[in-house]
Amino acid sequence: MLKKILLVVVITSIFGACTVSEKAEHQDNPFFVEYNTPHGIPPFELIEPAHFMPAFEAALKENKDEIDAIVNQKAEADFANTIEAFERSGEMLDKVSSVFYNLNSSLTSDTMQAIARELSPMMSRHSDDVMLNPQLFARIKAVHDKANDLSLNAEQQMLLEKMYKRFVRSGALLDQTAQDQLRKINEELSMLSLQFGENVLAETNKFEVVIDNKDRLEGIPEGFLAAAQEAAAVAGYDGKWLFTLQKPSMMPVLQYANDRELRKILFNGYIMRGDNNDDFDNKKILSRMASLRAQRAQLLGYENHASFVLEQNMAKNPENVNELLDELIAAAMPMAKKEAQELQKLINKRKDGITLEPWDWWYYAEILRKEKYDLDEEEMRPYFKLENVRDGVFETANRLWGLQFVLKPEYPKYHDDVLVYEVTEADGSHIGVLMMDFFPRASKRGGAWMSSYRKQYRTAEGEMVNPIITTNFNFTAPSAGKPALLSWDEVQTTFHEMGHAFHGLLSNCTYNSLSGTSVPRDFVELPSQIMEHWAGEPEVMSYYARHFETGEIIPQDLIDKMQKSATFNQGFAMAEFLSAAALDMDWHTLTEAKEYDATEFENNSLKETGLIPEIVVRYRSPYFSHIFSGGYSAGYYSYIWSEVLDSDAFEAFKENGIFDQQTATLFREHVLSRGGTADPLELYVAFRGKEPSKDALLKNRGIIE
């Protein structure tokens, strides 16, 4: 109620101080009114870039007034008037931020990026003003100090503990001089992170290879050539073929093109992003970021940035992460060397007269896969029509938890490519809204991700606020009269991101800051990665893997080939991933806060892992967006950490039946619905009945029988 009263007062004061033209501007700004849309979806058709800054300015002012109201009250601090009041503050700021930052990832522009640059220091200063507010922290600490005397439920206890730690970790216990230093570090880091991401996007978008001689494209399947020809026509290169650094454009070249030079050009273009000594070079930016993170960690009393980050993760400390990485690296690198030798033997047998290089790996691995398993990835693709795969995930969720997905073309969406669904329980009751955005464009960052326009929570009156979830992909678009046909990797990516979506959709928490995917980084990948296991189950494939022309179910012999080849090339996959995870840890276990030569530092890190020259680390530092412009600094290891969890967790389904209702219910109740309301290991054990074992991961990766 306090927040609602403040909102009315603040907006009234804003309008009261405005000129007639400013009042009209605010009245026309969709962020200043309640959304008149189904389920409160943002009215994208009404939102313009010019609306963001006025809305942010008002939202920041409103949030400041809310904080002032908390700290200036005369009543003694208690859970309701301080902890819950702070938790429920910033509603308008959340409203505007969720739209802006999601659109800046999926539908950016020069204007949006300019706003982001203007906004970044403002948001950093505001965050520090709140987290370093001594009166606010004093009230939170007062409640925290008497926590044992309060009759709090488990979720309230977790909210209090996490809120207190958040303030401490943000510098609330530092003296004024140290806090001033911390503010400067945070503001500079926010700008550098933004610039890093913009540079990667610019590098990706500016690179193109135009081919006018079809002979150079020999080996590339016709479907990909048609897509390249359509892309060329759109770009003004009629009668030619255009290739870019977007994965759906680049990978067919690396995998199938007989022209080795063409493979090399695309490969080097990809791995040199952010490393071309031009306006988009990221080497000095990332080195400065690593130094600033080390400074900040030490200012806060930690040995290094990784120690600061991992304190709140399941891993707890860098030593535990490095122990896992070292064990897996020791197994993976010999596997990778053996695979490289096998590929070189294949090259020699074919008398191709070359020495294996990184841009050759995918090409010869595909040839070897056909030779060893009679399996051509292109043979699988016709069975993976995008719409069928999407519906296959929906059917899987329906069989597990009774979820229903109803397409709603009339719901607001930010781009014509986006599909919007209402998600309901089996009885038709509303769960949330799901957006799916499948195809690449210049205004969209690469990769795949899940986010939210609104998280699930309950109001102060106990009313459920349902989530609005968005999933983003970069798959090959339909072309030449054919639908979008996915690779097996893209099928797994679809199931993966939908696992994140289910984590957000099925959340059943009281507090926004604890709901959905608000869990430790090395636990958040459990719901996504476990979904990948269903993708390859024959029972599941029987209802989504159907030939796009004939409707024929994928043949059992093809499934058998896929399963037999499941551990093929795993040395390569593990080597490129683990070396990236180790590189992340090396950048973030620095104890000397100085700036390093990024290339030399990276080379030394990769030498330590024993990465062979035929393989390039999955993410080189200058385009390692996960750790320098995403949320995975000192956290890229979490994918393999979570793989221990998801491999072990899926064993429960294999033991009881992959659609066993009791197991599915346990997973929903103890993992998907609980968010960050309890210790993740406790949640896992409540589901599984025991702590996770690495055995399932080692079997899946082919490390042990």
Side-chain angles (χ1 to χ4, degrees):
M1 185 58 70
L2 168 65
K3 186 166 185 178
K4 291 184 177 178
I5 293 172
L6 280 169
L7 183 60
V8 172
V9 171
V10 169
I11 292 180
T12 301
S13 65
I14 290 171
F15 285 152
C18 288
T19 64
V20 173
S21 63
E22 287 173 330
K23 286 180 181 178
E25 179 186 352
H26 284 147
Q27 288 169 347
D28 291 338
N29 190 321
F31 293 117
F32 284 85
V33 296
E34 187 173 345
Y35 296 155
N36 184 25
T37 56
H39 308 295
I41 301 171
F44 296 108
E45 72 283 358
L46 301 178
I47 296 172
E48 299 176 2
H51 292 142
F52 284 112
M53 284 310 296
F56 268 113
E57 288 167 355
L60 290 168
K61 172 65 167 60
E62 176 191 314
N63 193 216
K64 181 181 182 301
D65 290 343
E66 290 172 331
I67 300 303
D68 288 345
I70 294 171
V71 301
N72 292 330
Q73 59 187 313
K74 294 181 180 179
E76 181 182 346
D78 61 27
F79 187 83
N81 69 21
T82 299
I83 305 304
E84 286 193 319
F86 178 69
E87 166 67 19
R88 300 190 189 283
S89 67
E91 186 176 298
M92 184 178 181
L93 190 56
D94 288 344
K95 177 181 180 180
V96 183
S97 297
S98 67
V99 176
F100 177 78
Y101 290 112
N102 274 306
L103 291 185
N104 200 37
S105 291
S106 57
L107 196 66
T108 194
S109 64
D110 291 343
T111 302
M112 290 286 284
Q113 291 180 4
I115 294 170
R117 288 190 289 273
E118 181 181 0
L119 190 60
S120 181
M122 290 172 55
M123 295 293 282
S124 177
R125 284 193 294 272
H126 177 74
S127 176
D128 284 338
D129 286 346
V130 173
M131 303 311 292
L132 299 177
N133 184 314
Q135 293 84 13
L136 178 60
F137 178 64
R139 292 185 67 89
I140 291 171
K141 185 177 185 300
V143 180
H144 185 263
D145 288 347
K146 59 184 178 184
N148 292 337
D149 299 327
L150 305 176
S151 298
L152 302 180
N153 63 36
E155 187 170 354
Q156 290 172 328
Q157 291 173 16
M158 183 61 75
L159 178 68
L160 174 58
E161 187 62 28
K162 286 189 173 181
M163 188 178 293
Y164 176 76
K165 285 184 177 178
R166 180 184 167 200
F167 273 79
V168 172
R169 288 166 56 83
S170 297
L173 294 176
L174 299 179
D175 61 33
Q176 189 61 53
T177 300
Q179 286 187 356
D180 290 342
Q181 186 180 351
L182 184 65
R183 285 174 179 271
K184 292 178 182 178
I185 291 172
N186 288 341
E187 186 168 328
E188 186 176 355
L189 277 170
S190 72
M191 291 299 295
L192 291 172
S193 177
L194 184 66
Q195 188 62 54
F196 185 99
E198 288 181 358
N199 286 350
V200 173
L201 181 62
E203 287 273 66
T204 302
N205 286 340
K206 78 174 185 177
F207 187 95
E208 58 181 31
V209 175
V210 180
I211 303 295
D212 57 10
N213 179 3
K214 193 175 183 180
D215 290 344
R216 293 198 65 190
L217 306 177
E218 184 180 349
I220 302 176
E222 283 298 325
F224 294 121
L225 294 183
Q229 198 162 34
E230 286 184 14
V234 170
Y237 305 116
D238 288 336
K240 300 178 182 180
W241 294 264
L242 173 64
F243 297 94
T244 71
L245 298 183
Q246 297 284 359
K247 284 288 186 73
S249 178
M250 178 183 71
M251 287 309 298
V253 175
L254 296 181
Q255 204 164 358
Y256 299 109
N258 296 338
D259 188 326
R260 192 184 189 212
E261 184 62 24
L262 180 59
R263 300 198 305 267
K264 181 179 179 180
I265 291 170
L266 266 292
F267 182 83
N268 284 338
Y270 183 82
I271 68 165
M272 292 303 293
R273 290 176 299 163
D275 190 14
N276 290 303
N277 299 317
D278 57 13
D279 291 342
F280 305 125
D281 197 281
N282 273 333
K283 293 194 292 295
K284 289 184 178 179
I285 291 175
L286 70 91
S287 182
R288 178 64 176 162
M289 289 182 70
S291 174
L292 288 170
R293 285 170 174 171
Q295 288 181 47
R296 182 174 61 185
Q298 290 168 6
L299 196 63
L300 292 167
Y302 295 86
E303 183 178 5
N304 50 53
H305 179 71
S307 297
F308 170 72
V309 169
L310 295 171
E311 178 187 54
Q312 292 194 307
N313 285 8
M314 292 184 74
K316 301 303 181 188
N317 57 61
E319 291 73 27
N320 289 337
V321 173
N322 287 328
E323 181 181 345
L324 175 66
L325 294 181
D326 288 347
E327 179 181 349
L328 294 176
I329 285 171
M333 294 307 171
M335 291 172 63
K337 287 179 182 178
K338 183 178 179 181
E339 290 170 1
Q341 292 166 359
E342 199 169 11
L343 292 179
Q344 187 62 56
K345 286 180 182 177
L346 173 65
I347 291 169
N348 296 342
K349 186 177 75 172
R350 287 165 51 94
K351 298 182 179 179
D352 287 350
I354 64 166
T355 299
L356 181 70
E357 296 283 358
W359 49 87
D360 299 316
W361 193 290
W362 282 273
Y363 178 75
Y364 286 102
E366 185 62 25
I367 294 172
L368 186 60
R369 190 204 322 261
K370 293 177 189 176
E371 213 175 78
K372 291 183 74 170
Y373 304 103
D374 190 25
L375 180 63
D376 181 351
E377 189 158 301
E378 281 306 289
E379 186 182 356
M380 297 186 285
R381 196 180 286 268
Y383 295 95
F384 301 143
K385 180 182 174 183
L386 171 58
E387 291 79 3
N388 290 348
V389 174
R390 175 202 65 207
D391 293 346
V393 184
F394 291 171
E395 176 65 18
T396 302
N398 176 264
R399 296 190 184 195
L400 287 168
W401 306 297
L403 306 189
Q404 307 282 339
F405 300 83
V406 182
L407 182 63
K408 295 289 186 178
E410 70 276 16
Y411 281 9
K413 56 185 178 180
Y414 57 86
H415 190 275
D416 287 343
D417 285 349
V418 177
L419 300 175
V420 187
Y421 296 85
E422 181 185 7
V423 184
T424 70
E425 299 280 12
D427 62 6
S429 56
H430 180 74
I431 290 177
V433 172
L434 171 68
M435 300 180 187
M436 305 190 80
D437 185 351
F438 287 111
F439 306 121
R441 49 183 173 268
S443 60
K444 184 180 181 183
R445 69 178 174 90
W449 68 96
M450 165 269 182
S451 185
S452 60
Y453 282 94
R454 185 179 69 211
K455 292 175 65 188
Q456 177 273 328
Y457 65 96
R458 285 181 173 79
T459 67
E461 294 75 29
E463 179 185 352
M464 173 72 86
V465 177
N466 296 96
I468 301 172
I469 302 299
T470 178
T471 53
N472 289 261
F473 309 86
N474 278 278
F475 296 156
T476 305
S479 63
K482 286 186 177 181
L485 302 175
L486 305 186
S487 67
W488 175 238
D489 181 66
E490 290 171 330
V491 172
Q492 292 176 303
T493 297
T494 307
F495 276 76
H496 179 105
E497 296 306 329
M498 285 301 295
H500 284 308
F502 299 143
H503 201 182
L505 286 164
L506 297 179
S507 176
N508 187 13
C509 304
T510 301
Y511 302 111
N512 185 303
S513 65
L514 300 180
S515 72
T517 56
S518 297
V519 300
R521 183 67 68 187
D522 50 9
F523 189 66
V524 77
E525 297 299 333
L526 167 58
S528 57
Q529 291 181 184
I530 194 173
M531 287 305 301
E532 295 182 38
H533 291 271
W534 274 278
E537 287 293 313
E539 183 179 352
V540 178
M541 297 183 82
S542 70
Y543 57 73
Y544 81 81
R546 294 175 176 269
H547 197 283
F548 77 99
E549 289 177 322
T550 66
E552 172 198 7
I553 297 174
I554 189 169
Q556 184 60 46
D557 69 319
L558 189 51
I559 295 176
D560 293 342
K561 292 176 186 177
M562 290 174 63
Q563 292 178 334
K564 288 178 182 176
S565 67
T567 58
F568 175 73
N569 213 36
Q570 279 301 303
F572 169 86
M574 291 182 69
E576 63 157 9
F577 169 83
L578 292 168
S579 56
L583 178 60
D584 170 30
M585 292 300 294
D586 285 344
W587 276 118
H588 293 118
T589 49
L590 293 173
T591 55
E592 189 176 0
K594 71 174 187 178
E595 295 177 41
Y596 291 79
D597 179 281
T599 302
E600 181 181 356
F601 185 93
E602 180 181 283
N603 289 340
N604 289 337
S605 172
L606 299 178
K607 184 178 179 180
E608 285 295 312
T609 67
L611 185 66
I612 61 177
E614 294 89 348
I615 299 175
V616 171
V617 60
R618 181 173 296 184
Y619 294 105
R620 292 195 55 238
S621 303
Y623 59 89
F624 205 162
S625 296
H626 280 78
I627 67 172
F628 291 116
S629 65
Y632 280 78
S633 62
Y636 193 64
Y637 77 92
S638 61
Y639 289 97
I640 202 75
W641 186 282
S642 292
E643 195 172 338
V644 173
L645 301 179
D646 74 70
S647 298
D648 183 76
F650 193 68
E651 287 293 303
F653 285 95
K654 295 290 285 185
E655 292 161 7
N656 301 310
I658 63 170
F659 291 115
D660 177 67
Q661 289 302 288
Q662 183 178 358
T663 309
T665 298
L666 285 171
F667 191 74
R668 177 174 179 171
E669 288 182 351
H670 295 295
V671 177
L672 298 178
S673 71
R674 294 289 303 278
T677 60
D679 179 88
L681 185 58
E682 290 178 13
L683 294 177
Y684 187 86
V685 172
F687 155 68
R688 187 70 168 102
K690 66 181 185 68
E691 292 193 8
S693 163
K694 283 186 284 193
D695 288 352
L697 162 67
L698 299 177
K699 290 175 186 175
N700 291 342
R701 290 286 188 167
I703 295 174
I704 63 174
E705 291 295 329

